Amino acid sequence: MKVTVTVNGKRYERDIDPRMLLVHFLREELGLTGTNIGCDTSQCGACTVHLDGKSLKSCTCLAAQADGREVTTIEGLAQGDQLHPMQQAFWEKHGLQCGYCTPGMIMATTAFLKTNPHPTEEEIRHALEGNMCRCTGYQNIVAAVKTASERM
Amino acid sequence: MRPPSFSYQRLSSVAEAVQMLSSTDNAKVLAGGHSLIPALNQRLSQPGTIIDIGRLNELNGVSVTGSSKLMIGALTPHAVVAASNNVRRYCSALATACGQVGDPQVRNWGTLGGNLAHADPASDPPTVVLAAGGKLHTMGPNGERMIDAADFFQGLFTTALQPDEILTAVEIPIVADRKSAYAKLAHPASRYAVVGVAVFLNTENGSCTNASVAVGGATAKPTRSAAAEQALVGTALEDAALDAAAAALTNEIQGDAVGDIYAPSEYRAAMAGAMLKKAVRAAMV
Ligand SMILES: Cc1cc2nc3c(=O)[nH]c(=O)nc-3n(C[C@H](O)[C@H](O)[C@H](O)COP(=O)(O)OP(=O)(O)OC[C@H]3O[C@@H](n4cnc5c(N)ncnc54)[C@H](O)[C@@H]3O)c2cc1C
Ligand code: FES
Ligand code: FES
């Protein structure tokens, strides 16, 4: 089937198998491998992107469901060499170790700040319920989100 | 993980979707996909055709009709139900339950109707819809039906919905001065309910005049507890009354409680009592 998806502001038209998941569309059709796959059960959040501005686990969505819609991935956040404030804050606050969960963390938290621009620490922790990190213990991730929220 | 092969149709009206559903073998409706896609990925479901109703905006939204009914379209996402002022005002237990489903990503895209149609025993909203005395509106080849929640939920992943019917809306009666709450013991990794209890209460001069209690997660389908309701009515909902109601609930579901390696049935039955007390206290704040 034919789908047209706007990803990071660019329109892509592709002929796909209806069973293709959005995460595979991004990684394999478009070569946007910043969006990671960390589980088989829709739980880890490594694959989080924005669909029409709202956070979504792209492993739990058919590419067909994104037809005619807008997707933003981690590759779409920086403006040239200028990191997004959330990316900058993750860097400064050491919000990552191996980095595998990081694209999903950043996409989940940038969507979250649109609904709650000045969150408390507890609200940040709640907002991360769908994103797992096996390295950091979350402390520095929370600090990074707090820092970004103060700058944005 | 990749889903098995299927053909895909996106339809633009309920009538069209019902027509397609009744004329296609082994077809399944796709709403938010947050139960169906994980099931496809794990080969628990292998439909020949997927009928995507996700963009039927006519089924999306919350409204109040007259002053007696809260109507919630089947495709309303959990996050929208949780944030709706009308739901918070007339059925706060449902706002709480939808606000505790999974995580923010799941709540953005998973729908209330999909959740109820899927009837996962570990789901949150079915317990609340049952305790509220809700009604499920459906559309099929023979027209509309309205099904009481008490008849709708029939067992593990089993409802009164026919294979060619679509759930269109959930109706919650608005009862004057009725208070409600939902308390959940969430599984620490999946966030699904190990046990969830919904209570709806009326009081007059400090005394409980009406109580509706339902438990989910601990049982194969959401279940009303007449014993717990009786233990609450006529009391001032004081600690001793809550202890008695909790014991009555634990006792009533003990034989039917489900168990697994995370939470054995005795534990779930005991926690049902604890969640009941928590819910009553939250409702009365
Ligand atoms: C990581 C994760 C955590 C979760 N945690 C929780 C939780 O804590 N509590 C909880 O309650 N739920 C939880 N869920 C499930 C979530 O609530 C789902 O969104 C919901 O159960 C299904 O809704 P959906 O719109 O995604 O339905 P879909 O997945 O699209 O459909 C589910 C089933 O219902 C049928 N269906 C859907 N809509 C209709 C309709 N209108 N008429 C007829 N049939 C229909 C489909 O054919 C399918 O069989 C979780 C899901 C995930 C992925
Ligand atoms: S890959 Fe784990 S939630 Fe999508
Ligand atoms: S930094 Fe390694 S999983 Fe989060």
Side-chain angles (χ1 to χ4, degrees), chain B:
Chain B
M1 68 318 184
R2 285 170 206 258
S5 290
F6 49 78
S7 68
Y8 171 90
Q9 302 283 339
R10 191 191 307 138
L11 298 179
S12 48
S13 76
V14 175
E16 229 176 66
V18 167
Q19 154 66 23
M20 172 110 211
L21 203 51
S22 52
S23 62
T24 315
D25 280 343
N26 193 20
K28 255 205 174 304
V29 159
L30 176 74
H34 275 62
S35 291
L36 185 54
I37 294 173
L40 295 173
N41 286 341
Q42 294 177 42
R43 299 296 186 275
L44 297 171
S45 177
Q46 304 207 22
T49 303
I50 283 195
I51 300 178
D52 186 351
I53 60 166
R55 296 191 200 184
L56 298 184
N57 288 333
E58 56 194 294
L59 300 187
N60 193 338
V62 179
S63 61
V64 172
T65 29
S67 55
S68 62
K69 292 186 241 179
L70 183 65
M71 295 293 293
I72 308 171
L75 288 179
T76 314
H78 300 301
V80 173
V81 177
S84 156
N85 284 333
N86 278 325
V87 178
R88 290 156 76 129
R89 178 158 173 210
Y90 296 116
C91 191
S92 64
L94 188 61
T96 306
C98 288
Q100 291 183 1
V101 163
D103 52 55
Q105 290 95 317
V106 173
R107 295 193 290 272
N108 280 341
W109 299 98
T111 68
L112 179 60
N115 183 292
L116 299 172
H118 192 59
D120 187 322
S123 276
D124 299 293
T127 310
V128 180
V129 172
L130 176 68
K135 294 181 168 55
L136 292 296
H137 292 238
T138 70
M139 176 68 95
N142 302 320
E144 294 179 37
R145 288 205 294 157
M146 198 163 79
I147 309 168
D148 276 332
D151 301 321
F152 184 80
F153 299 108
Q154 299 187 334
L156 283 175
F157 301 100
T158 311
T159 68
L161 208 57
Q162 295 300 309
D164 54 4
E165 275 181 317
I166 286 180
L167 182 61
T168 54
V170 186
E171 171 184 332
I172 305 283
I174 296 177
V175 178
D177 302 324
R178 181 162 79 155
K179 296 186 164 147
S180 70
Y182 178 72
K184 167 185 188 177
L185 180 67
H187 186 285
S190 77
R191 321 302 304 167
Y192 274 98
V194 172
V195 181
V197 173
V199 298
F200 286 74
L201 301 167
N202 279 88
T203 55
E204 249 168 59
N205 306 323
S207 166
C208 176
T209 53
N210 200 21
S212 173
V213 173
V215 58
T219 43
K221 60 173 185 174
T223 307
R224 283 277 293 268
S225 170
E229 292 167 3
Q230 271 163 28
L232 293 172
V233 171
T235 73
L237 302 175
E238 73 283 6
D239 287 350
L242 299 197
D243 285 341
L249 175 60
T250 298
N251 190 43
E252 191 169 20
I253 66 166
Q254 208 130 45
D256 297 328
V258 295
D260 59 21
I261 53 166
Y262 306 110
S265 56
E266 297 82 355
Y267 175 68
R268 289 186 202 237
M271 287 304 106
M275 290 303 117
L276 170 64
K277 293 202 264 185
K278 206 172 157 188
V280 174
R281 290 192 176 115
M284 298 317 294
V285 174

Side-chain angles (χ1 to χ4, degrees), chain A residues 23 36-48 57-60 130, chain B residues 1:
Chain A
V23 69
N36 285 336
I37 299 174
C39 75
D40 280 346
T41 51
S42 301
Q43 277 170 355
C44 75
C47 63
T48 302
K57 293 176 177 177
S58 60
C59 71
T60 316
Chain B
M1 68 318 184

